[in-house]
Amino acid sequence: MAKDFLLEIGIEEMPARFLNPALDQLKELAGKIFHEKRMTHGEIAAYGTPRRLVLLVKELAERQEPLEKEVKGPAKKAAFDVDGNPTKAIQGFLRSQGARLEDLVVRNIGQVEYLYAVKREEGQPTDKVLAEIAPGLISGLNFPKPMRWGSLEMRFARPIRWLLALYGDQVVPFKLAGLQSGRSTYGHRFLSKGSLDIAQPAEYWVKIREAYVLVDPAERKELIRQQVQELAQGEGGRVQLDEDLLDEITNIVEWPTALCGSFDRNYLELPAAVLITPMQEHQRYFPVLGSGGELLNKFIAVRNGTKEYIDIVAAGNEKVLRARLADAKFFFEEDLKQPLSAKVNGLKKVVFLEGLGSMADKIDRIGALADHLAASLGADEAQQEKIQRAALLVKADLVTHMVYEFPELQGVMGREYAIRNGEEALVAEAVFEHYLPRFAGDRLPETLAGRILSLADKMDTIVGCFSIGIQPTGSQDPYALRRQALGICHICIEGKLHLSLKELIAWSYQGYCEGVELKFSLEQVTSEIEEFFKQRLKGILNDRGLSYDTVEAVLAAGFDDVTDVLDRGLALASFREQPAFAALMLAFNRANNLAKHAAGDAIEESRLEHSAEQELYRQLTSLANRVEPLQEERRYTEILALVTTIQQPLNSFFEQVMVMVEDEKVKANRLALLKRIVHLSNRVADFSKIVVEG
């Protein structure tokens, strides 16, 4: 009869960010081990709080499935001598396997018959297997920063304090980390006293809840969400829930109870970000907004406990926040005593990266690169002046008191101070936007100045790092170069900006040439960064739903203009749905296979002897003339539609003309004709990379 298996690992409070990955690992590892051990089971689920990791395996069979395996022995012809007697080879095999001759079976491998011993192992009782695998299941979990405790060699997220292991109503006995497993658990650290004995897994959920522990993270999260929204509505406001903050709070409490607090209305005179950041980032509070989105002098916190003495807890939270906001107000007012432009000089003392100069050097490079970009993107003189003004100020807030205390406000405070200092709105917005996107899914800069400065800042960092040998390796990317490269791609694509990646790299590299010793040449850096961007583009195109061979085809045709790559990819993906595509690919592949033998694509018209090749040349010339303006306007769907018109004369050419003739000049001319057709197709994609089914 199948029974449920319950495993609880009781620990000291672990960091919130450890919990979700640990539960995912626990569930995955359990499934893998139970499969390897041939243990039939129902649903596997993992639950947890900061003080416990819980595994529940439903309907786990009482015994392992029996194991039947075949062990390969000698070939049949080597097992018996000419008289049919067993040879030493087969006798040794029988002894090693504990088998009898009559138990062997014959299996063919190719045309050779081999003898196999069939071995059957009966399944072990589940409670015995569980006792063997439980320690490995626990020690197999990995954490970002595991720790040791006492004199033990065991490493875990935090010290393990108890182990509960039940298979039905039986304790699964094992030892780990100096502890013996049992049927006891513990409730909430402050709201429950003493241990709780659990008779069987079903009883656990009742008793642990009575001990003020909600062990299911999903239940805790939804309860917090509900309580927060209800409290906000009771105050005449609403909460725009930050999901990351909600997850963090869910993973630091066992019995959540939301409470509402307030702060002095005078603080509302400060910018909203100055108030929200201390509340969210430092105190884990939810700010309350009014019906119009304005910030109210209310906040919602979540305690790890009940409603008892909630007023005292709220007062304590208000006191802590009051001190935080007083500091923020002081920093803000101190920063306003000088205009943002006066702080630029302080950037000379701020190191950008070791070996790449100061932040003052960086803003000089950003300004120079922004000039190139502004000219390429058609900015007028007035826009260029604003871009240069913003370039001067983009990093100035790094030396303000507010950003020093709250680094996450860089850019946000730069914009705020620029506005209060009387800078133009476009300049102030560009100061903020040049940091965008800050993370996956973040908004992109919307103004031309913001886009240009964001591109300049990010490319300057990428080129600088690659030039001194700092590159992402595996999962290591300390300077977020992958994110910055993706940011450049998304800014160009969404803004429909057509820029040369090679030129952008060269302009950035040029900015480092004075006063900085670079390890690698421009050619080396360009080659490595192009490959780096190519990998980012593959990901972007795959995310857009393009097939792997479509992605390879458009990238093989060039990716210097990242926006152009997506345009060509989407056009090719659409074209592949057309009926004419398969027939065109058949003709193209034949042309491409022959064109590989061509020395060049120069065609002598006088050597076009056959009417079919003359017609193909005429149509190809006409087609090239029609494609040229479409290429300049990037009308790739129309180009591909035009390319299909070459199919009929190309097929006629193959039917009537022998390409590989003895006359070398005629052959070279015909190969050049085919090569020119391939080159015309490659304006959109390298068709040779496309896989056609069938």
Side-chain angles (χ1 to χ4, degrees):
M1 180 179 175
K3 294 179 283 189
D4 293 349
F5 171 58
L6 177 68
L7 174 67
E8 182 187 58
I9 310 158
I11 57 177
E12 294 183 8
E13 280 86 347
M14 76 170 84
R17 63 190 174 90
F18 286 10
L19 183 55
N20 290 345
L23 296 182
D24 291 340
Q25 283 186 67
L26 184 59
K27 181 178 178 180
E28 182 181 350
L29 186 57
K32 180 180 178 182
I33 290 176
F34 286 133
H35 175 73
E36 290 174 351
K37 294 296 183 180
R38 312 183 311 282
M39 301 173 77
T40 305
H41 57 81
E43 180 187 2
I44 297 179
Y47 307 95
T49 75
R51 296 184 67 216
R52 68 199 74 229
L53 300 173
V54 180
L55 175 71
L56 177 65
V57 183
K58 303 284 286 185
E59 299 177 349
L60 185 61
E62 288 189 303
R63 298 186 72 87
Q64 288 177 299
E65 291 289 324
L67 174 65
E68 262 195 17
K69 61 180 180 180
E70 296 182 350
V71 181
K72 182 184 174 187
K76 184 178 179 181
K77 65 180 181 181
F80 303 96
D81 60 22
V82 291
D83 298 323
N85 298 314
T87 63
K88 289 185 177 181
I90 193 63
Q91 291 175 18
F93 176 69
L94 291 171
R95 284 194 300 272
S96 68
Q97 299 302 317
R100 298 178 303 173
L101 188 62
E102 56 267 29
D103 295 331
L104 300 184
V105 296
V106 178
R107 297 283 184 263
N108 289 337
I109 299 180
Q111 297 180 349
V112 180
E113 293 182 321
Y114 286 86
L115 295 174
Y116 281 77
V118 180
K119 302 185 71 176
R120 179 182 174 89
E121 293 180 10
E122 292 299 326
Q124 295 291 316
T126 291
D127 54 355
K128 181 179 179 181
V129 179
L130 288 173
E132 294 173 355
I133 66 174
L137 181 58
I138 297 170
S139 60
L141 299 178
N142 297 309
F143 299 92
K145 292 183 178 180
M147 63 180 293
R148 289 172 51 196
W149 60 99
S151 59
L152 300 173
E153 292 299 318
M154 174 83 184
R155 289 178 178 270
F156 209 68
R158 289 295 183 267
I160 300 175
R161 294 309 184 200
W162 75 88
L163 296 166
L164 179 150
L166 294 175
Y167 178 55
D169 58 2
Q170 302 173 12
V171 170
V172 177
F174 65 91
K175 288 184 178 181
L176 183 70
L179 298 169
Q180 176 66 51
S181 62
R183 63 173 70 249
S184 296
T185 184
Y186 293 84
H188 191 283
R189 183 182 289 279
F190 305 113
L191 302 176
S192 175
K193 293 183 179 179
S195 62
L196 305 170
D197 283 348
I198 308 299
Q200 56 184 344
E203 187 181 82
Y204 172 82
W205 310 100
V206 178
K207 284 196 170 184
I208 204 71
R209 182 181 286 268
E210 290 174 349
Y212 299 99
V213 175
L214 294 180
V215 77
D216 185 350
E219 183 183 5
R220 292 200 306 278
K221 184 174 181 178
E222 287 311 305
L223 180 61
I224 293 169
R225 187 192 302 275
Q226 178 185 340
Q227 290 180 355
V228 168
Q229 295 292 14
E230 287 177 354
L231 276 177
Q233 289 170 11
E235 296 294 331
R238 61 182 177 85
V239 169
Q240 187 172 334
L241 282 171
D242 182 297
E243 290 298 321
D244 290 338
L245 178 58
L246 183 58
D247 284 338
E248 182 181 6
I249 293 174
T250 298
N251 291 345
I252 61 175
V253 298
E254 291 195 315
W255 192 262
T257 300
L259 60 93
C260 186
S262 62
F263 55 89
D264 194 321
R265 287 181 178 275
N266 291 330
Y267 285 118
L268 294 176
E269 297 174 4
L270 296 172
V274 174
L275 304 178
I276 290 173
T277 300
M279 280 193 270
Q280 285 189 335
E281 303 297 331
H282 295 262
Q283 299 305 123
R284 302 190 185 97
Y285 298 161
F286 295 102
V288 181
L289 307 178
S291 57
E294 74 283 5
L295 190 64
L296 303 182
N297 65 322
K298 303 284 183 179
F299 66 89
I300 296 175
V302 179
R303 74 172 296 193
N304 184 24
T306 64
K307 292 183 178 180
E308 191 174 10
Y309 307 118
I310 199 78
D311 293 342
I312 296 174
V313 177
N317 280 274
E318 289 173 348
K319 182 179 179 181
V320 173
L321 181 60
R322 190 158 54 243
R324 282 282 186 184
L325 296 184
D327 288 344
K329 183 174 184 292
F330 171 77
F331 295 144
F332 182 70
E333 291 173 348
E334 283 295 303
D335 288 338
L336 286 177
K337 289 180 179 179
Q338 280 188 319
L340 194 60
S341 57
K343 296 177 172 62
V344 173
N345 199 48
L347 294 173
K348 293 179 180 178
K349 298 178 181 178
V350 179
V351 175
F352 166 45
L353 280 175
E354 188 67 33
L356 295 179
S358 67
M359 274 293 177
D361 298 324
K362 182 173 179 65
I363 62 171
D364 287 343
R365 294 193 301 270
I366 289 174
L369 187 50
D371 259 346
H372 288 295
L373 287 166
S376 295
L377 296 174
D380 59 33
E381 187 174 341
Q383 287 175 314
Q384 290 188 36
E385 287 180 7
K386 292 181 177 66
I387 290 167
Q388 283 303 309
R389 179 62 180 174
L392 176 69
L393 303 175
V394 286
K395 302 296 181 183
D397 67 351
L398 295 180
V399 292
T400 63
H401 294 87
M402 278 299 299
V403 173
Y404 182 83
E405 183 70 15
F406 306 112
E408 56 270 30
L409 287 178
Q410 58 187 333
V412 175
M413 297 315 302
R415 175 176 59 187
E416 186 67 36
Y417 293 142
I419 291 171
R420 294 191 179 231
N421 295 158
E423 299 287 348
E424 292 189 47
L426 187 146
V427 171
E429 189 62 23
V431 169
F432 167 71
E433 286 190 335
H434 97 281
Y435 281 107
L436 303 178
R438 296 158 294 186
F439 47 83
D442 192 19
R443 55 176 284 203
L444 299 173
E446 297 175 4
T447 66
L448 179 62
R451 289 168 177 166
I452 285 174
L453 292 175
S454 182
L455 292 172
D457 181 32
K458 291 171 174 56
M459 185 55 78
D460 175 77
T461 300
I462 291 170
V463 170
C465 286
F466 272 77
S467 296
I468 60 173
I470 299 176
Q471 302 174 16
T473 55
S475 61
Q476 301 299 310
D477 188 8
Y479 299 105
L481 301 186
R482 293 189 184 99
R483 175 175 59 77
Q484 297 191 63
L486 280 170
I488 289 173
C489 293
H490 286 304
I491 289 169
C492 289
I493 289 169
E494 297 303 322
K496 300 192 182 304
L497 308 181
H498 292 282
L499 295 166
S500 166
L501 179 60
K502 193 181 291 289
E503 286 184 356
L504 198 52
I505 296 168
W507 292 335
S508 298
Y509 189 90
Q510 186 179 3
Y512 281 101
C513 289
E514 293 183 12
V516 176
E517 186 175 341
L518 303 178
K519 292 183 180 179
F520 301 104
S521 68
L522 173 59
E523 290 72 21
Q524 291 171 304
V525 170
T526 299
S527 174
E528 291 183 354
I529 293 179
E530 284 180 331
E531 182 60 30
F532 184 63
F533 269 82
K534 183 179 180 180
Q535 297 308 313
R536 311 285 82 73
L537 283 168
K538 280 185 179 181
I540 290 172
L541 295 175
N542 287 330
D543 289 344
R544 296 289 183 119
L546 301 186
S547 63
Y548 79 95
D549 56 334
T550 295
V551 173
E552 292 295 332
V554 294
L555 289 174
F559 54 91
D560 191 52
D561 181 339
V562 299
T563 304
D564 195 60
V565 172
L566 179 61
D567 291 343
R568 289 186 283 114
L570 293 174
L572 178 56
S574 175
F575 175 63
R576 293 184 68 166
E577 302 297 322
Q578 303 302 315
F581 171 71
L584 176 64
M585 281 301 302
L586 190 64
F588 169 84
N589 283 331
R590 190 173 178 186
N592 186 60
N593 290 335
L594 288 167
K596 292 174 183 177
H597 302 286
D601 63 355
I603 299 170
E604 294 183 49
E605 197 170 350
S606 60
R607 293 190 182 278
L608 299 174
E609 301 174 348
H610 197 283
S611 60
E613 64 180 324
Q614 292 168 1
E615 177 62 15
L616 179 60
Y617 176 72
R618 185 187 68 77
Q619 296 234 24
L620 177 61
T621 303
S622 172
L623 181 59
N625 292 334
R626 295 165 68 190
V627 163
E628 198 65 42
L630 296 176
Q631 178 85 30
E632 293 177 4
E633 297 173 13
R634 300 184 176 88
R635 292 157 62 180
Y636 297 115
T637 302
E638 294 176 51
I639 291 175
L640 289 169
L642 274 177
V643 169
T644 61
T645 63
I646 204 68
Q647 180 186 342
Q648 190 277 325
L650 183 58
N651 286 339
S652 297
F653 172 81
F654 283 132
E655 289 169 3
Q656 302 176 42
V657 178
M658 174 67 70
V659 176
M660 308 302 280
V661 294
E662 292 185 6
D663 188 322
E664 289 296 327
K665 291 186 177 180
V666 172
K667 179 174 71 173
N669 214 44
R670 289 171 179 170
L671 289 173
L673 183 59
L674 295 175
K675 189 167 187 175
R676 193 172 289 187
I677 292 173
V678 172
H679 284 172
L680 184 66
S681 304
N682 283 352
R683 293 181 179 224
V684 178
D686 182 350
F687 278 42
S688 68
K689 302 290 185 182
I690 295 175
V691 178
V692 180
E693 293 184 7

